[in-house]
Amino acid sequence: MTMTMPGKEATIADVVSVAVECIDCGRNRWWKPAELRRYGVNGQTPLVALSARLRCSACQADGLPGRAVSIQAAFIEEHERRRRETRRRAEREAPLERSRRA
């Protein structure tokens, strides 16, 4: 699910983090967009091009190509929505905690 305008390709600038999972070994890691710079990725890099640039370092250390990676992006709008939900939940639970102590 992309959170971009119709006809606009999702880019790194649209995400808050990216999950990269190796299909071969199962290693999974979340990356912030700034952490992907060393792979030649910038804000204009399309998400669809990302998996071609990334490699699994664990598989490469074992002599395997490490190219079988899966990408899952957490979009900025999605991140903000979760933060708002967490804040609302905390605000609802705070009065309950105070009433239990009384």
Side-chain angles (χ1 to χ4, degrees), residues 4 6 9 17-19 25-26 29-30 36-37 45 52 64 69-70 76 81-82 86 91 93-94 97 102:
T4 59
E9 191 171 23
S17 60
V18 177
C25 71
R29 181 165 182 204
W30 282 92
L36 296 170
R37 285 189 192 136
T45 303
L64 302 170
V69 295
S70 170
I76 292 171
R81 180 184 54 78
R82 283 192 206 140
T86 301
E91 289 170 357
E93 292 173 0
E97 290 298 318

Side-chain angles (χ1 to χ4, degrees), residues 7 11 17-18 20 23 27 36-38 44 58 68 74 80 99:
T11 64
S17 60
V18 177
V20 179
I23 307 294
R27 185 176 185 208
L36 296 170
R37 285 189 192 136
R38 65 180 162 173
Q44 304 308 312
E80 290 299 317
S99 67

Side-chain angles (χ1 to χ4, degrees), residues 2-22:
T2 57
M3 305 296 279
T4 59
M5 300 288 291
K8 181 182 177 245
E9 191 171 23
T11 64
I12 292 297
D14 299 322
V15 301
V16 69
S17 60
V18 177
V20 179
E21 181 178 2
C22 178

Side-chain angles (χ1 to χ4, degrees), residues 19-79:
V20 179
E21 181 178 2
C22 178
I23 307 294
D24 295 327
C25 71
R27 185 176 185 208
N28 188 4
R29 181 165 182 204
W30 282 92
W31 296 78
K32 300 284 183 197
E35 295 173 311
L36 296 170
R37 285 189 192 136
R38 65 180 162 173
Y39 295 101
V41 174
N42 63 36
Q44 304 308 312
T45 303
L47 287 177
V48 296
L50 191 57
S51 62
R53 295 183 183 214
L54 302 178
R55 312 276 183 278
C56 175
S57 58
C59 285
Q60 283 187 314
D62 289 341
L64 302 170
R67 292 183 177 259
V69 295
S70 170
I71 306 295
Q72 179 182 357
F75 289 90
I76 292 171
E77 294 87 359
E78 181 182 328
H79 177 70

